[in-house]
Amino acid sequence: MIELTETATPSETVPQSRHLATAVPGPRSQELHSERMAQVTHGFGVVLPVFVNRAAGGIVQDVDGNRFIDFASGIAVTSVGASNRRVAQRVAAQLERFTHTCFMVTEYESFTRVCRWLNEHTPGNFPKRTALFSTGAEAVENAVKIARSATGRPNVLVFDEAYHGRSLLTMAMTAKENPYRLNFGPLPGEVIRGASANPLRPSVDGHSGDDVAAIALESVEATLAQHGPQTFAAMVIEPIQGEGGFIVPAPGFLQGLRRLADLHGIVLVIDEIQTGMGRTGTLYASEHEGIAGDITISAKALAGGLPLSAVTGREHLMNAVHAGGLGGTYAGNPLACEAALAVFEELDDGTLLSNARAIETTAREILEPLVGDTSVVAQFRGRGAMLALEFADPETLEPRPDLARAISAACHAQGVLTLICGTFGNVIRLLPPLVITDELLRDGLGVLRTAILEASTSVPG
Ligand code: PLZ
């Protein structure tokens, strides 16, 4: 029996149970949403148009009194809970002292302490330095700047199904056209895409099973050769591809990239923005593969919901940049640094890591049988509390985004907040806070399972 352990979450402020007070969205949310549509750019989408008034532990509560089981964590951000007590207390105390100085103008100690923790806890047993920024995309761009500065080379290798952000450079590094790149060109150059090693849908055809990693690596080598390996500053990869569909690469692929990077003097940048900070049951997902990036990027769950990102890497790379070459007004904001120190305290005793592993065990037990039992789930995959179901015909692999949308909508209507991802939009992903109770987790998974069974019986098969 796997137990989820309680941590310091003020769950008394929001009852930890699913509750429907109105239809979803409720009347107050609908009112606020129409005002939003009148005021906010239509360039932002929304997964579930309910307005939140509180969130804690495993629950998001809306202005109509509906309580949703949180399988999103604000896209892998609020791993310690959306109103974690340690985060709230540290940030409140910092608010009283000062909100901002700009670290490039005058210094504060918390910035250094966050860098020290990251130097000590990111994969790789070598001397490191860290730079702090605000968003994930900003950190990815800075990792590229650092790699270019250190190597004197221009090119960046990225991979099929990659997601690295929405800023101009990271949008070019992201694979999916719609919605991320559509109409936003021209894209910056010197970004070259290589094969990924998706075990279900390999980028390179004509082989099966165990060869996926080896064949993808051959293709990557050919891509490097075509452009000249000595022109590449960096290769950037997510250890589990997130927005692209929660794809765990075929075994051996990441180790193979590590070898290619070493062979050609290319900086291996591991984008742990979605996978890091305990999400997959280890502090960083690279640990599952026994590899370390020359640079590791952290963001999202790093500061419990406050905007903070980090580039941590080998000392000689990080220090290759000229003084003044890196920075940003809000980079490593003091409120966000205090929040990160609180997150580190939460991670300290290993409870959240074992919670992530327990979440996987429970979800696997409830959801994995759907792969054989229905004719709509092609795969259950992921690690720790980063899990997904891909909806497709198991024989032909014809993607079924319609089913993913219908099932997700059924979950929303019953008070379970699920998200969709994947190149074909046919993957439902689970990213619960690592502090969710076992009872809530099972309730939410039960709702999802029933929705899948109902959808699959309406599919001829
Ligand atoms: N790298 C691996 O997952 C952000 C994107 C949501 P930012 N993923 C959520 C959306 O549709 O905008 C992400 C990621 C990986 C980089 C990023 C970018 O991080 O903080 O959104 O800039």
Side-chain angles (χ1 to χ4, degrees), residues 78-95:
T78 54
S79 295
V80 298
S83 50
N84 178 280
R85 180 165 289 136
R86 280 194 171 118
V87 171
Q89 285 175 350
R90 272 193 172 270
V91 173
Q94 180 59 40
L95 261 177

mmCIF file of all heavy atoms in Angstrom, residues 78-95:
data_model
loop_
_atom_site.group_PDB
_atom_site.id
_atom_site.type_symbol
_atom_site.label_atom_id
_atom_site.label_comp_id
_atom_site.label_asym_id
_atom_site.label_seq_id
_atom_site.Cartn_x
_atom_site.Cartn_y
_atom_site.Cartn_z
ATOM 1 N N THR A 78 2.992 24.449 -9.457
ATOM 2 C CA THR A 78 2.675 24.469 -8.025
ATOM 3 C C THR A 78 2.813 23.071 -7.415
ATOM 4 O O THR A 78 1.907 22.564 -6.766
ATOM 5 C CB THR A 78 1.258 25.018 -7.798
ATOM 6 O OG1 THR A 78 0.337 24.256 -8.606
ATOM 7 C CG2 THR A 78 1.161 26.471 -8.185
ATOM 8 N N SER A 79 3.995 22.487 -7.577
ATOM 9 C CA SER A 79 4.237 21.137 -7.072
ATOM 10 C C SER A 79 4.095 21.068 -5.555
ATOM 11 O O SER A 79 3.687 20.046 -5.020
ATOM 12 C CB SER A 79 5.635 20.666 -7.476
ATOM 13 O OG SER A 79 5.697 20.554 -8.876
ATOM 14 N N VAL A 80 4.448 22.137 -4.849
ATOM 15 C CA VAL A 80 4.349 22.150 -3.379
ATOM 16 C C VAL A 80 2.970 22.624 -2.924
ATOM 17 O O VAL A 80 2.749 22.845 -1.729
ATOM 18 C CB VAL A 80 5.438 23.032 -2.733
ATOM 19 C CG1 VAL A 80 6.826 22.501 -3.056
ATOM 20 C CG2 VAL A 80 5.299 24.488 -3.165
ATOM 21 N N GLY A 81 2.033 22.785 -3.858
ATOM 22 C CA GLY A 81 0.713 23.337 -3.544
ATOM 23 C C GLY A 81 0.683 24.811 -3.915
ATOM 24 O O GLY A 81 1.712 25.488 -3.893
ATOM 25 N N ALA A 82 -0.503 25.311 -4.276
ATOM 26 C CA ALA A 82 -0.627 26.673 -4.799
ATOM 27 C C ALA A 82 -0.687 27.720 -3.680
ATOM 28 O O ALA A 82 -0.717 28.922 -3.958
ATOM 29 C CB ALA A 82 -1.855 26.786 -5.693
ATOM 30 N N SER A 83 -0.730 27.282 -2.421
ATOM 31 C CA SER A 83 -0.625 28.244 -1.307
ATOM 32 C C SER A 83 0.174 27.600 -0.182
ATOM 33 O O SER A 83 -0.236 27.594 0.959
ATOM 34 C CB SER A 83 -2.007 28.687 -0.842
ATOM 35 O OG SER A 83 -2.837 27.558 -0.603
ATOM 36 N N ASN A 84 1.301 27.076 -0.558
ATOM 37 C CA ASN A 84 2.186 26.410 0.401
ATOM 38 C C ASN A 84 2.574 27.380 1.532
ATOM 39 O O ASN A 84 2.947 28.531 1.273
ATOM 40 C CB ASN A 84 3.431 25.929 -0.350
ATOM 41 C CG ASN A 84 4.427 25.269 0.553
ATOM 42 O OD1 ASN A 84 5.185 25.950 1.248
ATOM 43 N ND2 ASN A 84 4.431 23.951 0.563
ATOM 44 N N ARG A 85 2.501 26.901 2.745
ATOM 45 C CA ARG A 85 2.721 27.791 3.892
ATOM 46 C C ARG A 85 4.144 28.344 3.930
ATOM 47 O O ARG A 85 4.351 29.533 4.182
ATOM 48 C CB ARG A 85 2.397 27.057 5.193
ATOM 49 C CG ARG A 85 2.600 27.921 6.431
ATOM 50 C CD ARG A 85 1.955 27.334 7.644
ATOM 51 N NE ARG A 85 0.504 27.415 7.554
ATOM 52 C CZ ARG A 85 -0.325 26.429 7.869
ATOM 53 N NH1 ARG A 85 0.149 25.267 8.267
ATOM 54 N NH2 ARG A 85 -1.623 26.601 7.793
ATOM 55 N N ARG A 86 5.120 27.473 3.690
ATOM 56 C CA ARG A 86 6.512 27.967 3.738
ATOM 57 C C ARG A 86 6.740 29.031 2.660
ATOM 58 O O ARG A 86 7.393 30.040 2.914
ATOM 59 C CB ARG A 86 7.487 26.814 3.512
ATOM 60 C CG ARG A 86 7.726 25.974 4.741
ATOM 61 C CD ARG A 86 8.956 25.081 4.516
ATOM 62 N NE ARG A 86 9.331 24.416 5.727
ATOM 63 C CZ ARG A 86 9.338 23.082 5.883
ATOM 64 N NH1 ARG A 86 8.978 22.287 4.890
ATOM 65 N NH2 ARG A 86 9.717 22.552 7.025
ATOM 66 N N VAL A 87 6.211 28.787 1.472
ATOM 67 C CA VAL A 87 6.364 29.771 0.391
ATOM 68 C C VAL A 87 5.695 31.078 0.811
ATOM 69 O O VAL A 87 6.296 32.160 0.725
ATOM 70 C CB VAL A 87 5.744 29.253 -0.932
ATOM 71 C CG1 VAL A 87 5.713 30.347 -1.994
ATOM 72 C CG2 VAL A 87 6.507 28.029 -1.445
ATOM 73 N N ALA A 88 4.449 30.974 1.295
ATOM 74 C CA ALA A 88 3.691 32.179 1.664
ATOM 75 C C ALA A 88 4.415 32.969 2.755
ATOM 76 O O ALA A 88 4.527 34.201 2.681
ATOM 77 C CB ALA A 88 2.288 31.782 2.113
ATOM 78 N N GLN A 89 4.932 32.262 3.754
ATOM 79 C CA GLN A 89 5.581 32.970 4.874
ATOM 80 C C GLN A 89 6.875 33.644 4.440
ATOM 81 O O GLN A 89 7.137 34.795 4.792
ATOM 82 C CB GLN A 89 5.826 32.003 6.036
ATOM 83 C CG GLN A 89 4.527 31.697 6.774
ATOM 84 C CD GLN A 89 4.682 30.650 7.862
ATOM 85 O OE1 GLN A 89 5.724 29.995 7.978
ATOM 86 N NE2 GLN A 89 3.638 30.492 8.665
ATOM 87 N N ARG A 90 7.685 32.928 3.695
ATOM 88 C CA ARG A 90 8.955 33.530 3.260
ATOM 89 C C ARG A 90 8.718 34.738 2.350
ATOM 90 O O ARG A 90 9.386 35.760 2.477
ATOM 91 C CB ARG A 90 9.800 32.491 2.516
ATOM 92 C CG ARG A 90 10.688 31.667 3.425
ATOM 93 C CD ARG A 90 11.699 30.909 2.564
ATOM 94 N NE ARG A 90 12.697 30.243 3.358
ATOM 95 C CZ ARG A 90 13.859 30.804 3.737
ATOM 96 N NH1 ARG A 90 14.147 32.036 3.379
ATOM 97 N NH2 ARG A 90 14.726 30.121 4.471
ATOM 98 N N VAL A 91 7.757 34.587 1.427
ATOM 99 C CA VAL A 91 7.494 35.689 0.492
ATOM 100 C C VAL A 91 6.902 36.887 1.243
ATOM 101 O O VAL A 91 7.293 38.030 1.002
ATOM 102 C CB VAL A 91 6.575 35.232 -0.663
ATOM 103 C CG1 VAL A 91 6.170 36.408 -1.538
ATOM 104 C CG2 VAL A 91 7.270 34.166 -1.505
ATOM 105 N N ALA A 92 6.001 36.608 2.205
ATOM 106 C CA ALA A 92 5.398 37.707 2.982
ATOM 107 C C ALA A 92 6.472 38.457 3.768
ATOM 108 O O ALA A 92 6.480 39.695 3.806
ATOM 109 C CB ALA A 92 4.320 37.150 3.917
ATOM 110 N N ALA A 93 7.396 37.716 4.370
ATOM 111 C CA ALA A 93 8.458 38.365 5.151
ATOM 112 C C ALA A 93 9.342 39.215 4.233
ATOM 113 O O ALA A 93 9.736 40.335 4.585
ATOM 114 C CB ALA A 93 9.287 37.304 5.880
ATOM 115 N N GLN A 94 9.632 38.689 3.043
ATOM 116 C CA GLN A 94 10.460 39.444 2.097
ATOM 117 C C GLN A 94 9.736 40.699 1.608
ATOM 118 O O GLN A 94 10.358 41.759 1.469
ATOM 119 C CB GLN A 94 10.863 38.554 0.911
ATOM 120 C CG GLN A 94 11.716 39.238 -0.134
ATOM 121 C CD GLN A 94 13.021 39.773 0.422
ATOM 122 O OE1 GLN A 94 13.667 39.122 1.240
ATOM 123 N NE2 GLN A 94 13.396 40.985 0.007
ATOM 124 N N LEU A 95 8.411 40.579 1.417
ATOM 125 C CA LEU A 95 7.609 41.739 0.994
ATOM 126 C C LEU A 95 7.759 42.893 1.969
ATOM 127 O O LEU A 95 7.770 44.061 1.580
ATOM 128 C CB LEU A 95 6.132 41.352 0.944
ATOM 129 C CG LEU A 95 5.518 41.005 -0.387
ATOM 130 C CD1 LEU A 95 4.063 40.570 -0.191
ATOM 131 C CD2 LEU A 95 5.583 42.180 -1.347
#
